[in-house]
Amino acid sequence: MFTKRFVGSPLRIAVAAVAVVAIVIALTACGSSGAKSSGTSPSTKASSPTTAATAMADTVNLKLIAYKPANLTVTAGSTVTWHQMDPGVHTVTSGTVSQDGGGVSMHPDGTFDSGQLATGKSYSFKFDTPGTYTYFCQIHPATMHGEITVK
């Protein structure tokens, strides 16, 4: 009796290869902002992570392993809210990241830190003092960076 062994068609193999490449590009394409913190000692107030989505103009979405928008300009006294929309967890941690010799070093500055934000959670922070505030994700420090400019 003749048995047929299933072998993937060339089209299926090509589609799978394209999908793998697309996933790799999505995970590595965020890039580094190279921004540095101003060193300003801000007078700010932080709030804890929450599930309530507040209707605010100053928002950043954590989506597709990136902060969107990566750079945001607000006026002093504004509260920025980050909404975590990805599966898994991310953080919003003030400070910088350096990359050298294939390694990544995190340099949190202690100004704000959301802790781990699960899908659907939000974190808000009030920026009272003008300056430039850089931040990153402690889970994805090589690719997730953002900057808030307060005027």
Side-chain angles (χ1 to χ4, degrees):
M1 180 192 262
F2 178 77
T3 59
K4 199 180 210 184
R5 194 166 114 164
F6 176 77
V7 177
S9 73
L11 179 60
R12 283 187 184 181
I13 293 170
V15 169
V18 168
V20 168
V21 169
I23 290 169
V24 169
I25 289 170
L27 291 174
T28 60
C30 296
S32 172
S33 69
K36 295 186 178 181
S37 180
S38 67
T40 305
S41 178
S43 166
T44 52
K45 296 178 184 175
S47 66
S48 300
T50 177
T51 55
T54 307
M56 303 176 81
D58 299 324
T59 62
V60 177
N61 291 321
L62 288 71
K63 188 173 182 179
L64 299 173
I65 312 176
Y67 298 111
K68 297 184 181 201
N71 299 308
L72 181 66
T73 300
V74 299
T75 57
S78 295
T79 298
V80 175
T81 300
W82 289 265
H83 300 286
Q84 209 296 65
M85 303 170 81
D86 273 345
V89 294
H90 291 299
T91 73
V92 178
T93 305
S94 65
T96 59
V97 173
S98 61
Q99 298 181 34
D100 51 41
V104 176
S105 298
M106 297 181 282
H107 310 283
D109 65 18
T111 303
F112 56 87
D113 189 357
S114 65
Q116 291 190 358
L117 294 174
T119 306
K121 299 286 183 174
S122 296
Y123 172 75
S124 296
F125 188 82
K126 185 176 180 184
F127 292 90
D128 288 328
T129 305
T132 301
Y133 301 83
T134 57
Y135 61 94
F136 61 94
C137 175
Q138 289 186 346
I139 297 157
H140 307 98
T143 57
M144 283 185 75
H145 307 100
E147 182 176 282
I148 305 294
T149 300
V150 181
K151 295 189 175 206

